[in-house]
Amino acid sequence: MRGLTRAAKRAGEMAFNAGGGAVNWFPGHMAAASRAIRDRLKLADLVLEVRDARIPLSSANEDLQPVISAKRRIIALNKKDLANPNIMNRWLNHFESCKQDCISINAHSSSSVSQLLGLVALKLKEAISKQPTLLVMVVGVPNVGKSALINSIHRIATSRFPVQDKNKRATVGPLPGVTQDIAGYKIASQPSIYVLDTPGVLVPSIPDMETGLKLALTGYTFRAVKDSVVGEERIAKYLLSLLNIRKTPLHWEQLLHRREELYEETCSSNEKDSRVSLRRRRRLNNSDALFVQDLVMEVQRTLCSTFVNFTGNTEEESELESLIDMQLAALRKVFRIPHKPFDETQGPTSKKLLTLFRSGKLGPFILDDLPDEQ
């Protein structure tokens, strides 16, 4: 785990943005939303703070923490399907040791959201006996999954309380701030419980390079800030540095070996050269899912071979950079990017690699260090 911090320092020795210095991205609608959230937090009986399970600390809005921490709060670590489950359990234990209610969820899963609602009801049990109307406020950075969570809550609540036919769903969009105003959604009656959705708000600036890179890698800063501010190549190099320092390619080597053994078992006896023949049959089936699976395996195999055959010392920054350049050059061939000068192919290669990582195709990861292991 400590390797992640070392990797961040090596991969991000250059400033977080191309021009150097902190990233500032706080347009007018975010400033207005931040003020509105602060005003309504005074009325909230419980705060649902949605964070990304891959970055449980880095995805918190530090600007709002002083206000949120003073309220009754549940931290919902969303996108748990993209996070390493073993490390996730350690994070849940960490929050429990800090006396902070925390649950990992998938906002698109009804069963997962139902568990969250059960915890909400438990935390509001005492307040329910005292007040006729209770407010639950959902907060989080842009694109963390708040609107998806709201929609799932609404579907569940509507099935339980059909009288809510007039309720509207939260708007889901690819850009931060789509939910432009704060709206209430009734989820229970007697007493009435309303969930308040809020726009996603980034902190006014991201002065810490490592936090900025993690946000960019998982897709948050990258969506909220223009591509040229951070740069896909820099983010991809940061990802590769993490994978190399954690020795993830060696783990992939074991997985690839087991997959190939499984392929051989499923092939007929007269097709012992199964890897090539199976791949050809898959292509003929025109299955996008199988094609992506093959592509992921090729990416993992390529990163594994370059890592294993590298004779340098990855503890040295310059040699780690050399390994990363070798890996990007090798991935260019895997992604079938036309041959051009190296600097011109790094961008397209980086973009394809980041797409696989952000969609979880490369496997589940948690990028933040546990506080007691830094």
Side-chain angles (χ1 to χ4, degrees):
M1 297 288 287
R2 290 179 184 150
L4 296 182
T5 301
R6 296 201 311 272
K9 291 178 180 177
R10 293 180 203 168
E13 283 299 324
M14 13 182 177
F16 175 50
N17 63 341
V23 170
N24 293 289
W25 183 256
F26 209 58
H29 74 273
M30 283 193 180
S34 182
R35 290 192 297 269
I37 289 172
R38 288 176 179 275
D39 289 341
R40 286 160 177 78
L41 273 172
K42 300 173 185 177
L43 305 175
D45 297 288
L46 184 144
V47 176
L48 265 181
E49 184 186 3
V50 187
R51 301 185 187 180
D52 190 310
R54 296 168 296 177
I55 43 175
L57 294 182
S58 298
S59 57
N61 186 323
E62 291 298 329
D63 194 48
L64 292 176
Q65 288 306 306
V67 182
I68 295 174
S69 60
K71 307 290 294 186
R72 185 185 286 108
R73 172 177 64 170
I74 295 175
I75 295 177
L77 299 177
N78 190 30
K79 306 182 183 182
K80 69 175 185 178
D81 52 312
L82 301 179
N84 185 307
N86 295 324
I87 302 178
M88 177 52 57
N89 288 332
R90 292 158 64 185
W91 271 102
L92 295 175
N93 292 335
H94 164 73
F95 283 114
E96 182 180 358
S97 68
C98 297
K99 310 300 181 183
Q100 171 59 61
D101 292 295
C102 181
I103 183 172
S104 59
I105 67 168
N106 178 347
H108 296 283
S109 166
S110 296
S111 60
S112 182
V113 176
S114 294
Q115 291 179 356
L116 174 61
L117 291 179
L119 181 57
V120 168
L122 179 64
K123 299 306 296 181
L124 286 176
K125 187 175 182 179
E126 180 180 350
I128 284 176
S129 63
K130 300 177 181 178
Q131 302 179 46
T133 302
L134 300 171
L135 301 179
V136 178
M137 177 170 282
V138 182
V139 300
V141 299
N143 301 104
V144 78
K146 301 183 309 304
S147 294
L149 175 59
I150 287 289
N151 289 338
S152 293
I153 289 175
H154 183 223
R155 284 193 296 271
I156 294 171
T158 300
S159 66
R160 296 177 182 176
F161 307 100
V163 295
Q164 303 180 81
D165 292 340
K166 295 182 180 179
N167 279 5
K168 295 180 180 180
R169 298 178 57 186
T171 301
V172 179
L175 298 176
V178 167
T179 312
Q180 293 291 345
D181 197 4
I182 298 177
Y185 302 86
K186 189 175 182 179
I187 64 169
S189 300
Q190 298 179 351
S192 296
I193 300 178
Y194 288 85
V195 173
L196 304 183
D197 189 21
T198 63
V201 180
L202 282 172
V203 293
S205 64
I206 306 174
D208 178 73
M209 172 272 302
E210 183 178 0
T211 298
L213 284 170
K214 289 175 182 176
L215 284 167
L217 178 54
T218 47
Y220 293 100
T221 306
F222 198 76
R223 290 173 183 170
V225 183
K226 293 180 180 179
D227 296 2
S228 57
V229 174
V230 182
E232 291 171 320
E233 297 169 30
R234 182 164 299 149
I235 303 169
K237 288 182 177 181
Y238 175 65
L239 168 61
L240 289 172
S241 72
L242 295 181
L243 297 178
N244 291 323
I245 288 177
R246 299 175 78 176
K247 296 180 171 57
T248 302
L250 295 182
H251 172 67
W252 284 341
E253 184 179 35
Q254 299 173 1
L255 291 178
L256 289 167
H257 181 67
R258 288 199 292 269
R259 288 173 185 168
E260 289 176 357
E261 288 182 339
L262 179 62
Y263 288 160
E264 290 179 358
E265 292 175 2
T266 57
C267 288
S268 60
S269 58
N270 62 342
E271 291 179 327
K272 291 299 184 180
D273 55 338
S274 60
R275 190 191 303 175
V276 174
S277 59
L278 180 60
R279 210 170 274 143
R280 285 174 179 168
R281 291 202 308 276
R282 284 177 167 179
R283 301 288 194 277
L284 292 174
N285 288 335
N286 293 320
S287 171
D288 290 339
L290 291 175
F291 176 80
V292 171
Q293 184 182 31
D294 280 345
L295 177 63
V296 169
M297 290 179 63
E298 281 301 319
V299 168
Q300 292 175 333
R301 186 177 291 110
T302 298
L303 294 180
C304 177
S305 63
T306 51
F307 180 83
V308 170
N309 295 325
F310 184 66
T311 58
N313 181 9
T314 55
E315 294 293 322
E316 296 292 333
E317 179 183 332
S318 60
E319 296 192 37
L320 176 62
E321 290 178 355
S322 297
L323 171 59
I324 291 172
D325 285 339
M326 290 171 53
Q327 290 174 325
L328 285 174
L331 288 176
R332 178 190 66 79
K333 299 178 182 178
V334 174
F335 294 135
R336 298 183 178 180
I337 295 172
H339 181 73
K340 294 180 180 178
F342 183 55
D343 291 343
E344 295 182 23
T345 59
Q346 277 193 325
T349 302
S350 299
K351 184 174 183 178
K352 290 181 179 295
L353 178 63
L354 291 175
T355 297
L356 291 178
F357 173 81
R358 289 169 176 164
S359 61
K361 297 295 190 300
L362 292 182
F365 291 89
I366 293 183
L367 306 179
D368 279 339
D369 291 330
L370 281 158
D372 58 351
E373 296 184 7
Q374 290 182 351

